[in-house]
Amino acid sequence: MSQIGDRQKILLIGVTGGTGGNVIKGFLEQEVTNLRAITRKIDLNRPSLAKMNDAGIELVEANLDDENSLIPAFAGISAVYCHATSQDSAKPSPLEVERAKRVAQAAKQANVQHFVYNSAGGADRNSGIIHIEQKYQVEQILKQAGLPTTMLRACLFMEEFWKKYTRPSILKGSFLFAIQPDRPLHLITTKDMGRIAAYVIKHPAQYIGKEIELAGDVLTPKQMAEAFSKAQGKKVVYKQTSPWIFLLLFQRELFALIQWYRKKGYQADVAHLRQEFSGLLTTFSEFLEETNWANPGLTYENL
């Protein structure tokens, strides 16, 4: 690793959930193995923790709500990748910001040399979307603590289309989404978040102080339907639904997010990113092939 010694630890925060395992795969693919991960409790009967342990990742018990527990977790840490300080949800958790404050102070006290944060695309553009605005708050907390930071502002995770409210109808031939058919959507995989985070940590001089809106592909819903059709070997038709259904279902946060996609949305420069991070970004078609999308026996939990 350039500028950060191989024997110094990199701390991973918020990687024990559904998307965290893919982030870890990205780190390991980049041959970054000097990893330590925070978990509330070390329970090797839990599949995600067992996989980390088998991969040689050091597990340490710590609670983001307990600042004292963070002190040993940060001992000997040179760099941090923070995937999240709360669960991923359209409805943000008030704990996210408070936990970020504790993490920032622990990182500062440990003299962390590089802090990479998984933020959200549009965080710097007054989106008005609560969970995106909250990510921006976390960014400011990290900066105000005087930490050397890189903000990786993720666009829409491709894995979202594997979820049970999306994938079954696509497998049956109908791609339902409340976005205009020709509106570009910027997409990224969670594994690529790990790949890019590892690359950035390997090259701190190039990336400390930078904010990068991150996507590996940009497609319209019509183009996505074509990709689904090719992966499944049968026609998938895009059907635009009304965003107002989310209000009828009392999902105000999702309604606001969909409206943001429809009117503003992400602005990642995918062509430039694919050049800068050559070989580290996955296209949507590659993602469908790599995850064996067309296999009806697989679910989101298999990713």
Side-chain angles (χ1 to χ4, degrees):
M1 295 174 73
S2 57
Q3 301 187 37
I4 293 183
D6 284 328
R7 287 174 292 179
Q8 291 179 293
K9 288 281 186 178
I10 297 167
L11 184 66
L12 306 179
I13 300 173
V15 297
T16 60
T19 60
N22 289 323
V23 168
I24 290 170
K25 288 178 188 175
F27 269 91
L28 296 177
E29 282 188 10
Q30 292 303 297
E31 299 181 348
V32 177
T33 57
N34 50 325
L35 302 171
R36 176 188 295 165
I38 283 179
T39 179
R40 279 177 179 253
K41 182 180 180 182
I42 298 175
D43 178 5
L44 297 183
N45 290 317
R46 186 175 165 188
S48 62
L49 297 184
K51 286 179 183 178
M52 281 188 253
N53 184 65
D54 291 344
I57 297 168
E58 179 190 358
L59 299 174
V60 60
E61 289 187 357
N63 187 333
L64 300 187
D65 296 320
D66 177 4
E67 57 189 296
N68 291 326
S69 75
L70 295 176
I71 296 171
F74 274 84
I77 293 297
S78 59
V80 173
Y81 171 72
C82 180
H83 190 62
T85 57
S86 67
Q87 289 186 336
D88 185 27
S89 171
K91 191 170 185 177
S93 166
L95 296 172
E96 183 175 21
V97 172
E98 293 306 312
R99 288 172 176 169
K101 291 176 182 176
R102 296 186 196 99
V103 166
Q105 288 308 307
K108 185 68 175 176
Q109 290 169 12
N111 195 29
V112 165
Q113 300 168 38
H114 195 181
F115 196 110
V116 180
Y117 176 57
N118 169 38
S119 186
D124 58 330
R125 297 197 295 275
N126 298 312
S127 68
I129 307 302
I130 299 174
H131 84 267
I132 295 179
E133 295 288 345
Q134 202 154 282
K135 296 284 187 187
Y136 189 66
Q137 277 185 268
V138 173
E139 287 189 15
Q140 299 314 302
I141 288 165
L142 298 172
K143 288 181 179 180
Q144 289 163 11
L147 294 168
T149 58
T150 303
M151 309 303 179
L152 298 181
R153 293 172 174 158
C155 294
L156 180 60
F157 286 141
M158 296 182 194
E159 288 83 357
E160 288 295 314
F161 296 97
W162 265 84
K163 292 191 175 176
K164 60 184 179 181
Y165 52 77
T166 306
R167 184 165 173 259
S169 66
I170 298 173
L171 291 177
K172 292 175 183 177
S174 295
F175 175 27
L176 308 174
F177 205 28
I179 307 295
Q180 303 94 314
D182 296 315
R183 180 82 178 168
L185 277 172
H186 294 73
L187 306 161
I188 184 77
T189 71
T190 51
K191 184 164 71 172
D192 287 354
M193 291 301 297
R195 285 172 169 164
I196 300 299
Y199 184 85
V200 162
I201 288 172
K202 284 182 177 180
H203 303 88
Q206 292 175 234
Y207 292 103
I208 285 175
K210 288 193 174 182
E211 296 94 25
I212 305 169
E213 191 155 336
L214 203 54
D217 210 346
V218 54
L219 297 171
T220 67
K222 273 188 178 179
Q223 291 170 325
M224 292 174 69
E226 292 170 6
F228 287 129
S229 298
K230 184 177 180 182
Q232 295 175 198
K234 64 179 182 180
K235 182 73 172 176
V236 175
V237 177
Y238 180 64
K239 297 180 180 179
Q240 182 181 342
T241 59
S242 171
W244 294 96
I245 188 67
F246 295 104
L247 277 185
L248 293 174
L249 296 173
F250 301 101
Q251 295 176 325
R252 292 192 176 111
E253 291 83 4
L254 276 175
F255 172 77
L257 182 60
I258 291 293
Q259 290 291 69
W260 186 73
Y261 285 157
R262 290 170 59 86
K263 297 176 182 178
K264 295 181 180 179
Y266 300 116
Q267 296 179 8
D269 186 342
V270 174
H272 173 77
L273 289 166
R274 295 190 69 82
Q275 183 176 21
E276 181 171 0
F277 300 112
S278 179
L280 300 181
L281 291 169
T282 305
T283 67
F284 190 60
S285 292
E286 288 169 343
F287 168 75
L288 295 179
E289 182 179 354
E290 289 175 7
T291 57
N292 199 7
W293 167 270
N295 184 344
L298 300 177
T299 68
Y300 178 79
E301 286 69 30
N302 296 120
L303 291 178

